[in-house]
Amino acid sequence: MGSGTLVDGVRRWFQRRTSSSSSSTSNSNSNFSSNSDSSDPNLNYPNLHKFDYVDNGGVSGDQLLSSDLRAQSSIAHKRKPLRKQTQLGEGGILEQLPEEEDDDLDYSALKLIKVPKRINHFRNPPPPLPSALMDSHKKGGLETEFFTEYGEASRYQVQEIIGKGSYGVVGSAVDTHTDEKVAIKKINDVFEHVSDATRILREIKLLRLLRHPDIVEIKHIMLPPSRREFRDIYVVFELMESDLHQVIKANDDLTPEHHQFFLYQLLRGLKYIHTANVFHRDLKPKNILANADCKLKICDFGLARVSFNDAPSAIFWTDYVATRWYRAPELCGSFFSKYTPAIDIWSIGCIFAEMLTGKPLFPGKNVVHQLDLMTDVLGTPSSESIARIRNEKARRYLSNMRRKQPVPLTQKFPNADPLALRLLQRLLAFDPKDRPTAEEALADPYFQGLANVDREPSTQPISKLEFEFERRKLTKDDVRELIYREILEYHPQMLQEYLRSGEQTSFMYPSGVDRFKRQFAHLEEHYGKGERSTPLQRQHASLPRERIPAPKDEAGQHNDLEGRNVATSLQSPPKSQGDGSENANGNEQNGQNKPNYSARSLLKSASISASKCIGVKPRKDLEEEPISETNDEAVDGVSHKMSALHT
Ligand SMILES: Nc1ncnc2c1ncn2[C@@H]1O[C@H](COP(=O)(O)OP(=O)(O)OP(=O)(O)O)[C@@H](O)[C@H]1O
């Protein structure tokens, strides 16, 4: 087949696809010859032809197919089985939501990316599981028929430990029913702290309700043996190969097509999340799982919140914890009184910039440094934006800052697609009201030919009833019951039983969990043998600090918690830590340009708010640790006391 024929074929196919979708998308792309918009003087790039295969200029068919055009033309619908969803309707009645078509993109023509193993799990392969740990119960029989879920005891065969987080250990396993590989997260001692248990409840609930190809899927949750006494839970996820943090580190040859597909998926997932009225609040490369075929999935909804219009934002945000580098400016010092989904858009902008260069865009060492880095690139915000800032100290800090001109993004990212940079500029608007919504971003010219609203579903806002628990103070038993109820969503027969008998059902169910426990224990025993493997501790971020004694910093090491570092810097002369965490503006070390009062007081605010976050996390990534925020009033009040102490 000659190249012309092939090109014509591809073009015809592509035209058919887009013409069928162009009626519903604002990105209609009728002739696939979308050249760059050179009207923007900042974006004067020579190589701006996207989709200009109308004139193939003698390019061979093979070349064409291996180029970006091939990637563009290869995005096809892939149908997967429909997923069922339920949510609590008014009056607590379980409603079956309309079945959603799981419609995904096929990226098979994109160059595979390297996905290094996240952890070198075993120097030597682990010894095989002893036969006692393998499943021995016989299938069939009355018992199995009655307890359909009983079968799950033999369903998953755990293979190896693939990751550890502060909430659990993640193992890869095979679902012997489907031969599918899955990831099983074991969360131990769920109810040790109510705040942790609530976070887990929130996450599993959200992941049940947010079903989308760009969001990690919970496939199953093992039924605990006892409704009233269980302590551990096992959550079965679809298995992903790596995460975006690792992908960015391992691939210095990501192409413009990779960047575009990655951002597209993130925005598509975010559009869905935001239409459910959910804010993720902790988007960062580590919270985006990735496969070698370029599939990305948003995960870790532990900090996410559902926004109900009547919820006062002060309460809503009191336990805010997010990773500083990806944190929107309005959260660096609690600037704006009412936060919006635009905080997630900012994070996506930071992640996108990191994909383009391989390096974090704003690796701030504390909130003030974070703001300095932002304004170094974006310039000082307009006086109108500054005027909207509610926090007085933050307003003063920014108003007193020396005027900075924005750096053209073309200068900062000289090799990037100018259309990508134009979108990036929008995502990184200092003022949240100037950032596009995810939906608007998907309609940006950057995605011309790729975006298609038919593939970018919205969803219904999540029912208030599902998150009614956020409004009351829960006891351990309350959360246990709520988590149990959530687990039953994956055990329909048990759920019916539970709904019928209500409180009465408290006998022990046959469960696969005991066998699992042993399998995990065996693998964990050999996990990271010969390597330093520090168990991670949870951060009880949302507990008021007086409820738990602050842990000692035993090794004399600083916690990563920003506030601690900052507090230290206020008491003693700055010393170089290598990570510069005590050097707010990167200029205290030589004694010049000491931060002005506003910077200090902003840092103090951060230190106070961070003091709420009392868990100790081992230093995984020195600078990129979460700190907590609290509301302005609390910050100001305690900050005032602290100022009195330190001045
Ligand atoms: N579905 C999955 N497939 C593959 N790996 C996964 C999956 N889910 C989580 N992981 C990996 O397991 C590790 C721990 O998972 P995760 O971050 O969810 O735990 P966590 O306890 O919530 O962590 P954190 O400390 O970030 O709160 C991470 O490296 C993560 O990338």
Side-chain angles (χ1 to χ4, degrees), residues 118-119 162-171 182-187 199 203 216-217 236-243 246 282 284 286-291 299-300 302 536-539 617 620:
R118 273 163 294 208
I119 295 166
I162 55 168
K164 250 181 190 184
S166 41
Y167 283 81
V169 178
V170 180
V182 292
I184 303 185
K185 186 161 164 179
K186 180 186 98 164
I187 310 169
R199 178 183 163 144
E203 177 157 27
V216 74
E217 182 192 357
V236 182
F237 289 93
E238 57 185 315
L239 179 70
M240 298 291 287
E241 292 163 85
S242 190
D243 61 56
Q246 296 295 341
D282 195 20
K284 56 180 174 180
K286 280 183 185 165
N287 285 343
I288 293 158
L289 298 172
N291 277 346
C299 71
D300 203 343
L536 300 179
Q537 286 178 25
R538 297 171 188 166
Q539 283 188 289
K617 266 188 137 186
K620 283 190 287 186

Side-chain angles (χ1 to χ4, degrees), residues 135 137-140 143-144 147-158 173-177 182 184 219-226 233-236 484 487-492 494 509-516 519:
D135 182 65
H137 90 264
K138 293 188 191 70
K139 287 197 175 131
E143 225 175 13
T144 317
F147 295 110
T148 47
E149 287 81 16
Y150 192 51
E152 73 180 359
S154 60
R155 183 165 172 181
Y156 301 103
Q157 209 65 66
V158 188
V174 175
D175 178 344
T176 56
H177 285 188
V182 292
I184 303 185
K219 290 179 164 295
H220 192 68
I221 307 183
M222 302 283 284
L223 187 71
S226 153
I233 63 171
Y234 294 81
V235 185
V236 182
Y484 187 78
I487 293 174
L488 288 182
E489 292 287 339
Y490 299 86
H491 300 266
M494 294 295 179
Y509 293 110
S511 154
V513 163
D514 279 351
R515 191 182 60 94
F516 252 65
Q519 284 188 356

Side-chain angles (χ1 to χ4, degrees), residues 58-111:
V59 180
S60 78
D62 281 346
Q63 277 172 302
L64 250 177
L65 283 178
S66 62
S67 72
D68 53 344
L69 306 180
R70 172 174 158 170
Q72 295 296 343
S73 61
S74 68
I75 308 159
H77 288 225
K78 195 162 72 182
R79 279 171 192 259
K80 283 205 219 151
L82 298 178
R83 294 174 184 169
K84 286 208 173 117
Q85 280 197 82
T86 56
Q87 89 166 8
L88 284 179
E90 298 298 323
I93 295 166
L94 200 69
E95 287 172 353
Q96 192 81 40
L97 294 181
E99 290 186 333
E100 287 188 15
E101 192 177 316
D102 188 359
D103 193 6
D104 205 352
L105 298 165
D106 179 3
Y107 305 155
S108 52
L110 263 185
K111 194 175 141 228

Side-chain angles (χ1 to χ4, degrees), residues 335-403:
F335 285 3
F336 294 92
S337 56
K338 188 151 169 57
Y339 306 120
T340 67
I343 55 160
D344 288 335
I345 296 287
W346 175 276
S347 308
I348 294 282
C350 297
I351 296 168
F352 186 48
E354 192 164 331
M355 284 177 208
L356 297 177
T357 62
K359 292 197 184 70
L361 177 63
F362 300 130
K365 294 164 184 167
N366 52 56
V367 273
V368 167
H369 187 221
Q370 193 67 35
L371 282 172
D372 289 341
L373 293 180
M374 290 171 186
T375 46
D376 286 349
V377 176
L378 305 172
T380 31
S382 68
S383 41
E384 300 85 69
S385 293
I386 295 180
R388 259 194 296 280
I389 293 169
R390 188 163 155 259
N391 181 290
E392 198 209 317
K393 285 191 214 68
R395 202 168 53 232
R396 198 156 11 119
Y397 180 67
L398 283 166
S399 326
N400 294 341
M401 183 183 264
R402 84 178 154 79
R403 292 284 98 191

